[in-house]
Amino acid sequence: MMFISGSTVQVTQAETQLSRFCAENQLLSTMKRTELPTKTKPTYRLEANIECSDRRGIVETFTEFYASKNIDIDSMTAKTINIAATDNQSEKRFQISGVAHVDDTVNLMQLQEDFDQMCSEHNIQGTLDFINTVS
């Protein structure tokens, strides 16, 4: 898959050259002109932090939560830490922090409730903070 941007003349030239190249090399190509989506200015910055025992599927749970809400994650960090437990033993804990931005069409109360429910269902300690980015 290839994305090309440029002036109308430059894109037309690239389409012509690519078509010729594909024909000469017996390759199949499909082209579609698109436009950049119009983005609304984000109204809120979402900062999510979760911590739980280290186990499989936690990153997927976290990212699926956002995907199910059609929210793109801007940045995410994840790490495993050792926490001292009893009898000189340590417990591995997993921490994820994520940042996303949403506009004012998102129901923040519902999002908070859904986040809390996800945390409860998966035995995760988590916080979701909303920071107004419009001044």
Side-chain angles (χ1 to χ4, degrees):
M1 182 179 289
M2 181 185 329
F3 293 100
I4 300 172
S5 65
S7 69
T8 303
V9 172
Q10 292 169 324
V11 171
T12 301
Q13 288 174 341
E15 287 173 333
T16 304
Q17 292 172 357
L18 183 59
S19 293
R20 198 174 314 131
F21 175 81
C22 289
E24 291 170 359
N25 293 285
Q26 299 179 339
L27 297 171
L28 175 65
S29 69
T30 304
M31 293 179 228
K32 178 183 176 187
R33 287 191 182 213
T34 61
E35 295 180 13
L36 290 173
T38 56
K39 285 193 170 185
T40 58
K41 185 174 180 172
T43 309
Y44 294 96
R45 173 184 166 105
L46 309 181
E47 294 183 356
N49 294 291
I50 65 170
E51 182 176 313
C52 61
S53 59
D54 189 16
R55 61 186 184 270
R56 248 180 215 198
I58 296 302
V59 172
E60 182 179 3
T61 299
F62 184 80
T63 56
E64 276 294 319
F65 172 78
Y66 279 99
S68 71
K69 308 295 181 201
N70 293 317
I71 298 173
D72 294 329
I73 298 173
D74 296 330
S75 66
M76 184 176 89
T77 58
K79 63 182 176 181
T80 303
I81 58 172
N82 289 320
I83 295 180
T86 58
D87 300 326
N88 295 330
Q89 299 290 322
S90 64
E91 177 188 1
K92 286 192 176 200
R93 301 285 292 170
F94 194 67
Q95 293 179 333
I96 298 177
S97 297
V99 174
H101 288 86
V102 296
D103 61 27
D104 58 1
T105 62
V106 174
N107 183 334
L108 300 182
M109 289 178 65
Q110 184 64 53
L111 189 62
Q112 181 69 58
E113 287 176 14
D114 294 346
F115 181 84
D116 292 343
Q117 181 179 352
M118 177 212 48
C119 289
S120 177
E121 288 174 2
H122 295 278
N123 197 23
I124 294 171
Q125 296 171 341
T127 60
L128 182 60
D129 297 316
F130 305 103
I131 299 155
N132 191 332
T133 58
V134 178
S135 47

